[in-house]
Amino acid sequence: MRSRMHGWRWRKNPLRRRSDVVEAWTALAVAVLLLVAVPLAGAVAGLWAHDEAQTVAVQQRTERHRVRAEVVGRVPENLPSADGVRQRTYRVTVSWTPPGGTARTAEARVPEGTHKGDLVDVWFDAHGRSVPPPPTGTAVWQHTLTMGACAAGGTAALVLLGHAVIRRTAMRHRLDEWDREWARTEPEWTRRRPA
């Protein structure tokens, strides 16, 4: 003989406690939050981050200009890279001639592996300082996805943490309810008189 156990917290039965009902409603709320609120939080944070990153990229593109320059300064020896993922850069003197202008030199960051006499693209701000290039479309989307994933993950963690706290509280109340019930029922089962 098989009994149905699914949904027992929703149906009336003598073993169901108020804490069981609270836990059942909490599980439903958690499922809805995980399916709706988590993706929504990720999407909203991603859209916000995309707008911000796009604004910064456009602003930096207007404030910075790229120059094709020749490396004229002493290039340091290739140093061993600390990590194989990012390419290291170092400062070196570069020279270029703007259209209709005189030759100029400045210190700029160039990628590792650049040699004296190489032509490199360097970026300068309005004050002539060497600056990193403005973010590309790929960098904007990486930022967008990272922020969206972090917001979704943080929201999911918060929901699951809240669920764990509620379950723990429900378990404590359930045990208290069972203790009260046993205190009432024990004398009938053990034939002892209450103290």
Side-chain angles (χ1 to χ4, degrees), residues 10 44 60 67 74 101 103 110 116-117 135 158 182:
W10 298 100
V44 168
Q60 287 184 359
V67 174
R74 182 179 163 277
V110 297
K116 188 172 184 173
L158 190 62
W182 180 247

Side-chain angles (χ1 to χ4, degrees), residues 14-22 169-185:
L15 297 178
R16 185 182 73 170
R17 305 285 182 247
R18 193 173 89 218
S19 57
D20 296 325
V21 175
V22 169
T169 304
M171 178 60 80
R172 190 171 47 244
H173 285 289
R174 183 179 301 118
L175 292 174
D176 290 343
E177 289 172 350
W178 285 350
D179 284 343
R180 284 192 300 273
E181 287 288 325
W182 180 247
R184 261 192 347 218
T185 310

Side-chain angles (χ1 to χ4, degrees), residues 104-187:
R104 296 183 59 193
T105 60
E107 290 258 326
R109 288 207 160 279
V110 297
E112 184 178 30
T114 304
H115 301 289
K116 188 172 184 173
D118 287 352
L119 292 176
V120 292
D121 288 329
V122 291
W123 290 82
F124 293 99
D125 64 8
H127 303 291
R129 293 182 300 234
S130 176
V131 292
T136 62
T138 303
V140 169
W141 277 107
Q142 286 174 340
H143 179 71
T144 300
L145 293 174
T146 300
M147 293 301 289
C150 287
T155 304
L158 190 62
V159 166
L160 293 174
L161 179 66
H163 184 234
V165 168
I166 290 171
R167 282 194 68 179
R168 185 180 180 113
T169 304
M171 178 60 80
R172 190 171 47 244
H173 285 289
R174 183 179 301 118
L175 292 174
D176 290 343
E177 289 172 350
W178 285 350
D179 284 343
R180 284 192 300 273
E181 287 288 325
W182 180 247
R184 261 192 347 218
T185 310
E186 181 196 13

Side-chain angles (χ1 to χ4, degrees), residues 4 14 30 35 37 45 56 90 94 96 120 136 148 176 178 191-192:
R4 288 182 53 194
V30 165
L35 292 173
V56 167
Y90 48 86
V94 296
W96 75 97
V120 292
T136 62
D176 290 343
W178 285 350
R191 308 271 186 242
R192 280 192 319 170

